[in-house]
Each structure stands twice: as C-alpha cells, then as structure tokens.
Amino acid sequence: MRTVNCYLLAITLVFLSVGEASAQSKISKEKIESFRSYLKDFRIDNQIPSLSVAIVDNGEIIMLEGIGFQDHDAEEPTTENTSYLAASITKTFTGATLLAMEADGHIDLDEDFTTLSDWDGRCEWLTTSGSIFGGGTLDNGHEIPELKCDQVITLRHVLQHQVQGEPGTSFFYNPVVFGRLSNWVEENTDKSWRYWMTKYVIAPAKLKGIAAGWRDPSGGEVLTHIAPPFRHASEQSDGLAPSVLPNTELNASSGIIASAKALAHYSIALDEERILPAALRDTMWTPAKNGEGNPMPYAYGWFVQNWHGHKLVWHGGWWPDAYAALLLKAPDSGLTLVALGNTDGLRHEINSLTSAQIEKNPLALKFLEVFVKKS
C-alpha cells in the first residue's frame, strides 16, 4: 500500500484537449490555469480521493479535469469517464421531466399529490418520527411548519418544495416528499419513472456516461466507472476509510449516476433547447413567490438566486459519508460548473434547507470570482 504522502501528493490530471473550444472561448488560459491550480489544493484540503470537474463556456467544454485516484491504494487514477452518484442533482432532471410531461398533456402539475396510495401512512410516519421534514425547529432556531396530512398538496407544491404548513406559501427543502413524485407518476401512468426521464431528458439530450439508477439497462458501462465512496475518518492515519455504497435506486430525488463530462453535456443540452424549449426552460428557473410576495429560493427542481447582478441556477448533491456534487449555471454568462467527488468534502456547511447561498461553497465562490464578472 502506498504511503499517505504519496496518496495525497501524487495527483493524476486528465485534461480534455479543447483546442477548438479554447479558441472560441473568451476565457483566458491564465484563468483556467489559476482555477486548475486551486482544484489541486481544494481536493487535498477537503480530503476528496477522486475529484472530477468540468467548466462549460457557451456550449463548449473548456475544462475537464479528473484529479486524484478512485481507490484507497492510489492505483486507479481518476479519468474523464469516472462516474459518481450525483444524488440530488437528479432533482433537476425531475423538474425538466415533469414540465415536459405537463406540456405534452400526460399530467397536470396542479393535480393532487396526496392521492398517492401510500401517502396517508407515509405522511403520518413523517410527522411523528421526529424528522425535521415533518416539521420542527432547526439548529439555528428557524421554525419549520408542520407537514399537514389532511390537506391537498399539488404536484407543483412538491416539485417546488412548498409542502410545509399551508402548501404554496413558503419554501422548505423536503427531499423525502419530493422523492415520491416518481411514485405518483408511475401510479398515474402506465410507464416507469426511468421511461419518462429517459424520454424527456436523457434521450433528447443524447447523453452518454450516465445511468438512471443502477438498474438502468443501458447504463452498464457507467457502473463500471464508479468511484467507490469514502468517509472522513479521524481514526485512520490518512483520515479516510471506505464507505458503504448508498442506495442507487432511481426516484425523483436521486439516482442519477454520471461523470462530470456527462453532466456538462446535460447542461449544454439545456442551453441548446434540446430538452426544453426556451420558454419552458425559463419557467423551470423561475421561482414562485411566498405569502409576502417575495421570490422563493427554489423553482422547478433548481435553486435560484442572484449573485452580484447575475442570476444563478444550481443544485447540490449529498450522500453523507459517501459523495457530494455540484451543478452551477450562470445562464446570462453562458457558464456552467460541474463538480463531483467520492467523499462529501464538496458539500458546503450552510443551511440550504431554507435558502439559496451557493457563494458559501468555497469551490462555487472561486468559480464565480474567476469566471463570472461582478456587475
């Protein structure tokens, strides 16, 4: 087994040759090199054995980095095909899928979600389990309204995380309820959730290097490239220990398994209107307003916020002690950041259950400061 010093310092960089793309991009090589250098330190500082990062500039991948190793012995270098559980980035796929299904008349987002066959029992469990997703008080003292099981909650409410208290009046990120959207769709159509997501997102975008859950019959090659998960372990000499592979079943909340390159192509497909027409894509990135008339920090499967005059749309992904991910777009600038890692070192320690503050993530902030100009 190689020593920890070898493990931390021996870094394998995989750089996609982007001669033509770089020629078209207005971003300087100096900025790209500065960010690449930052990534090397970021990976070590945050104990991420395998880190994959992509940057898109107006439809072109201008950076594709595979940094580190997929295994504990530093024998399997990260490559451009290395895949990860993208966790809640799956919700962005769900937003596009459901909006497209509604546009084609398959569903109505104002239909009653609570007709789901197991909702009564599941809601009762959630409100009595002590889970914050049933209501309660966050560590910072923020009061979360109780989830009420005896009132109508629409698909739209669930998709926009507006299910607490009086549905449609406030935002609270509730992945447990959100995940059941796929069950509702399967009960109310004759097709699987994988079928609909493939039909409306994966197929029209012609995505490769992606699997819709580990049971995806077309995703076998992707599964062979998974970077196994690790957890931070202070009792180990190198601070890392192998972790258990999380649940990789596909549902509305999670299940997408992908490489950074695949998610970069997903972002490009969104920009090029191959998944949704521009008007519907803009709807996907337009949040509703709360009871006071202020925009909420979440739209249809995406967090939405403003940073120094720039609209940002984004989503993180997190499997505790296993994986973390980030998909950040600055649509007005044509820029996208994708980052995936096989520990949860990418996750930022802010309360994203009630707000959108992606600039609190150091990697996201560095990207914004280097590539997205302040207005």
Side-chain angles (χ1 to χ4, degrees), residues 146-159:
E146 182 179 335
L147 182 64
K148 298 179 180 179
C149 302
D150 59 350
Q151 60 184 344
V152 172
I153 301 173
T154 68
L155 299 177
R156 194 182 310 276
H157 292 148
V158 178
L159 183 56

Side-chain angles (χ1 to χ4, degrees), residues 58-348:
N58 289 296
E60 301 288 349
I61 299 175
I62 63 169
M63 175 188 286
L64 182 58
E65 295 288 328
I67 310 174
F69 298 89
Q70 301 176 42
D71 65 315
H72 213 177
D73 295 335
E75 294 176 349
E76 292 292 336
T78 301
T79 75
E80 67 177 37
N81 295 315
T82 298
S83 60
Y84 307 78
L85 273 66
S88 287
I89 287 177
T90 303
K91 292 180 176 68
T92 70
F93 286 65
T94 294
T97 299
L98 292 182
L99 284 170
M101 289 181 70
E102 182 180 51
D104 281 354
H106 296 296
I107 61 171
D108 181 345
L109 288 178
D110 294 316
E111 291 185 74
D112 186 358
F113 167 79
T114 67
T115 60
L116 184 65
S117 61
D118 67 350
W119 173 248
D120 290 341
R122 199 166 280 270
C123 185
E124 181 181 0
W125 168 81
L126 200 54
T127 56
T128 59
S129 65
S131 167
I132 192 61
F133 300 115
T137 305
L138 295 171
D139 291 342
N140 63 5
H142 190 107
E143 292 289 336
I144 305 302
E146 182 179 335
L147 182 64
K148 298 179 180 179
C149 302
D150 59 350
Q151 60 184 344
V152 172
I153 301 173
T154 68
L155 299 177
R156 194 182 310 276
H157 292 148
V158 178
L159 183 56
Q160 295 187 314
H161 293 289
Q162 300 173 26
V163 302
Q164 310 296 134
E166 181 183 347
T169 62
S170 63
F171 166 78
F172 177 68
Y173 184 77
N174 195 321
V176 177
V177 177
F178 192 105
R180 304 302 289 176
L181 283 167
S182 46
N183 299 80
W184 189 96
V185 167
E186 291 182 340
E187 286 188 5
N188 288 274
T189 68
D190 294 326
K191 305 291 185 181
S192 70
W193 180 238
R194 181 177 293 108
Y195 167 85
W196 293 113
M197 187 175 283
T198 301
K199 174 180 174 64
Y200 283 113
V201 179
I202 297 173
K206 298 181 180 179
L207 296 181
K208 298 180 180 179
I210 197 164
W214 74 278
R215 297 180 188 273
D216 187 348
S218 62
E221 184 176 355
V222 178
L223 303 184
T224 67
H225 294 295
I226 287 181
F230 289 85
R231 62 179 176 85
H232 295 147
S234 58
E235 71 275 10
Q236 300 296 323
S237 61
D238 61 356
L240 293 168
S243 190
V244 176
L245 187 71
N247 181 359
T248 53
E249 297 283 359
L250 178 69
N251 59 53
S253 269
S254 65
I256 288 294
I257 304 166
S259 65
K261 179 170 66 174
L263 291 180
H265 283 295
Y266 165 58
S267 176
I268 292 169
L270 283 170
D271 294 340
E272 294 180 348
E273 302 177 42
R274 286 184 278 126
I275 295 175
L276 294 174
L280 199 53
R281 183 193 61 208
D282 291 345
T283 295
M284 182 172 67
W285 293 338
T286 302
K289 295 182 179 181
N290 61 19
E292 288 73 46
N294 299 315
M296 300 191 205
Y298 203 89
Y300 293 86
W302 294 77
F303 283 93
V304 182
Q305 67 176 96
N306 182 283
W307 181 79
H308 292 285
H310 292 276
K311 181 176 183 177
L312 304 179
V313 295
W314 60 274
H315 218 294
W318 178 43
W319 275 111
D321 294 329
Y323 294 99
L326 175 62
L327 172 59
L328 167 60
K329 293 177 65 63
D332 296 340
S333 302
L335 290 163
T336 299
L337 169 69
V338 178
L340 301 164
N342 66 338
T343 66
D344 57 10
L346 269 171
R347 180 176 180 263
H348 54 296

Side-chain angles (χ1 to χ4, degrees), residues 11 36-47:
I11 301 174
R36 183 179 292 119
S37 177
Y38 172 83
L39 292 175
K40 298 176 187 178
D41 293 335
F42 179 87
R43 183 190 79 91
I44 294 174
D45 292 344
N46 292 276
Q47 293 184 296

